[in-house]
């Protein structure tokens, strides 16, 4: 028979949970039960692999200390790992004795949290040990408390030996519903392999980098596709809103600063040519941002207003610039 102890405290000398674990271990070993202790604070880089240690156990003891609020981060991580990577079929056969010692308020809440979590995992929780310890020396020297702890160890032995069952719980009725929403169904072997990968910081870091690289690639492609579409719409809008003026000749070069592209607009009387590229001798060189040019062709702003506000700069023949809003009437 084998029992595993998982300790979620910080290992401080004054932690009363250490004394309780030692007494439980002493009694269980006298009953010829093999006891293995896992200090989660020492296993913090490999907590995701600890559910694999449940395989050979007949029962477990979850021990934590409430120092200010709740069952603590290490214990929460371990229970999360059991949910994600643990063998649920094996967990369903495991008895769990919760031990919660508190140096502040919350020992009963902590015990309840452990029992509810283990029940949600499908395991068999037992009535545990929960106590508020103001002075750990007095607690350890109290013979009544020692007897209570020893009887709990004997109770765990009897539960495992006799395979005592608990009454049905409403929690069990919703376990299957909750587990249906956990994603891909994995075999115990696949869950074990996944837990190994997750515990490997190098592997996880590489996976994150690959995901970020793919996300950026798709983002760039979508951005390029969207930009190309809008750039095509710019040319279409200029052609659609072109109002030719007899004898008007001009070449506008509009540099779009945030895309690095230049729109060339050539007006020759009633003829209009629009394209992206460069022109050796434009009459007017304007510079603006993509969203400002988009506002102009959508009629939310005029060329002259953008120039006066400073959101568009221009140099060259200003007489031709003043005719821009007449030649292209986006309103």
């Amino acid at each position: 028979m084998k029992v595993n102890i998982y300790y979620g405290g910080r290992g401080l000398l004054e932690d009363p949970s250490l004394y309780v674990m030692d007494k439980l271990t002493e009694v269980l070993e006298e009953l010829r039960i093999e006891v293995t202790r896992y200090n989660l604070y020492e296993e913090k880089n490999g907590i995701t692999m600890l559910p694999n240690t449940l395989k050979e156990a007949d029962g477990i003891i979850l021990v934590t200390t409430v120092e200010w609020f709740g069952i603590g981060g290490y214990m929460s991580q371990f229970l999360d790992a059991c949910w994600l990577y643990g063998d649920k079929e094996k967990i369903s056969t495991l008895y769990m004795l919760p031990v919660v010692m508190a140096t502040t308020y919350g020992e009963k809440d902590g015990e309840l949290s452990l029992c509810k979590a283990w029940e949600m995992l499908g395991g068999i929780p037992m009535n545990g040990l929960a106590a508020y310890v103001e002075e750990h020396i007095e607690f350890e020297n109290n013979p009544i408390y020692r007897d209570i702890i020893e009887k709990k160890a004997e109770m765990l032995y009897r539960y495992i030996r006799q395979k005592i069952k608990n009454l049905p719980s409403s929690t069990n009725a919703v376990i299957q519903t909750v587990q249906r929403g956990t994603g891909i169904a994995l075999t115990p072997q696949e869950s074990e392999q996944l837990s190994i990968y997750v515990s490997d910081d190098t592997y996880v870091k590489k996976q994150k980098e690959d995901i970020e690289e793919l996300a950026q690639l798709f983002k760039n492609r979508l951005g390029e596709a969207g930009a190309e579409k809008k750039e095509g719409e710019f040319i279409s809008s200029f052609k659609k809103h072109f109002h030719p003026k007899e004898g008007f000749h001009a070449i506008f070069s509009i540099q779009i600063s945030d895309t690095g592209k230049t729109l060339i607009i050539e007006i020759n009387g009633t003829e209009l040519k629009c394209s992206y590229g460069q022109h050796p001798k434009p009459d007017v060189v304007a510079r603006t941002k993509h969203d400002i040019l988009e506002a102009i062709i959508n009629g939310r702003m005029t060329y002259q207003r953008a120039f006066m506000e400073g959101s568009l700069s221009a140099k060259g023949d200003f007489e031709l610039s003043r005719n821009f809003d007449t030649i292209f009437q986006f309103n």
Side-chain angles (χ1 to χ4, degrees), residues 15-17 20 24 61-67 70-72 75 96-115 128-133 139:
D15 187 349
S17 296
V20 177
L24 290 171
I61 302 173
L62 297 182
V63 183
T64 191
T65 307
V66 179
E67 296 186 68
I71 60 175
M75 184 59 71
M96 187 278 293
L97 176 68
V99 175
V100 181
M101 298 292 110
T103 56
T104 183
Y105 173 80
E107 72 281 359
K108 292 295 184 182
D109 292 338
E111 180 189 10
L112 180 61
S113 295
L114 292 180
C115 287
L129 289 164
Y132 166 68
V133 180
F139 178 80

Side-chain angles (χ1 to χ4, degrees), residues 69-134:
F69 182 80
I71 60 175
Y74 295 136
M75 184 59 71
S76 293
Q77 288 181 51
F78 173 68
L79 292 170
D80 284 346
C82 289
W83 175 260
L84 293 171
Y85 313 115
D87 183 345
K88 302 301 192 299
E89 185 175 348
K90 175 60 181 178
I91 290 175
S92 67
T93 67
L94 289 178
Y95 293 90
M96 187 278 293
L97 176 68
V99 175
V100 181
M101 298 292 110
T103 56
T104 183
Y105 173 80
E107 72 281 359
K108 292 295 184 182
D109 292 338
E111 180 189 10
L112 180 61
S113 295
L114 292 180
C115 287
K116 288 175 67 176
W118 197 248
E119 203 169 37
M120 285 295 295
L121 287 166
I124 309 169
M126 300 169 52
N127 291 327
L129 289 164
Y132 166 68
V133 180
E134 186 174 6

Side-chain angles (χ1 to χ4, degrees), residues 12 36 124 128 214 259 277 283 297:
L12 303 178
T36 303
I124 309 169
L214 285 171
T259 65
D283 298 305
I297 68 168

